[in-house]
Amino acid sequence: MALTDSREKIDPIDLQLTQLLTQRLAISKEIAQVKVAEHIPLTNKEREQEVYARVTQDATPEVQPYLRTLFEDIILVSKQYQAHQIQLINDQENPK
Ligand SMILES: O=C(O)C(=O)C[C@]1(C(=O)O)C=C[C@@H](O)C=C1
């Protein structure tokens, strides 16, 4: 199969992933707002382990470690986004 054919198959998948990851980040932002309101820590390691277990459970052993790394990165970015949202809320509540 030609390289261009494979790349044409990847492109719509990237678009879907972008849409889904954007939705995921929007939910992450909602969670950040709840965390500020209810004084809950940003990181929940137990929840992260649950996510890794669920997303890898039906995967083949060959791709499992790659999915794990992907989701570690997704959660890392989710937490960076939450930290930024929390900072914005705190700045609004305590203007300098
Ligand atoms: O479930 C939460 O508490 C979240 O903030 C979401 C999320 C995630 O992106 O999946 C992010 C940070 C936590 O450490 C665990 C999970």
Side-chain angles (χ1 to χ4, degrees):
M1 173 162 295
L3 189 59
T4 33
D5 291 344
S6 296
R7 286 179 176 161
E8 274 172 17
K9 287 196 285 185
I10 275 187
D11 287 345
I13 293 172
D14 286 347
L15 268 184
Q16 286 180 51
L17 284 172
T18 302
Q19 287 163 1
L20 290 171
L21 290 168
T22 301
Q23 284 177 36
R24 197 184 195 286
L25 282 170
I27 296 166
S28 183
K29 180 176 174 175
E30 288 173 8
I31 293 174
Q33 290 160 350
V34 173
K35 285 181 173 172
V36 171
E38 300 185 10
H39 307 287
I40 297 168
L42 184 139
T43 295
N44 182 330
K45 286 282 172 198
E46 201 182 321
R47 171 64 182 164
E48 293 180 17
Q49 294 307 318
E50 284 170 18
V51 173
Y52 301 142
R54 201 178 41 261
V55 298
T56 55
Q57 70 182 358
D58 294 330
T60 62
E62 186 180 321
V63 300
Q64 256 176 11
Y66 297 96
L67 280 174
R68 163 90 189 207
T69 302
L70 261 174
F71 274 85
E72 284 173 356
D73 287 348
I74 287 171
I75 289 183
L76 176 66
V77 171
S78 170
K79 290 198 287 185
Q80 289 169 344
Y81 188 53
Q82 287 190 348
H84 179 64
Q85 297 305 321
I86 289 168
Q87 187 68 57
L88 289 177
I89 294 168
N90 287 338
D91 288 350
Q92 272 172 6
E93 286 176 1
N94 309 297
K96 293 186 180 97

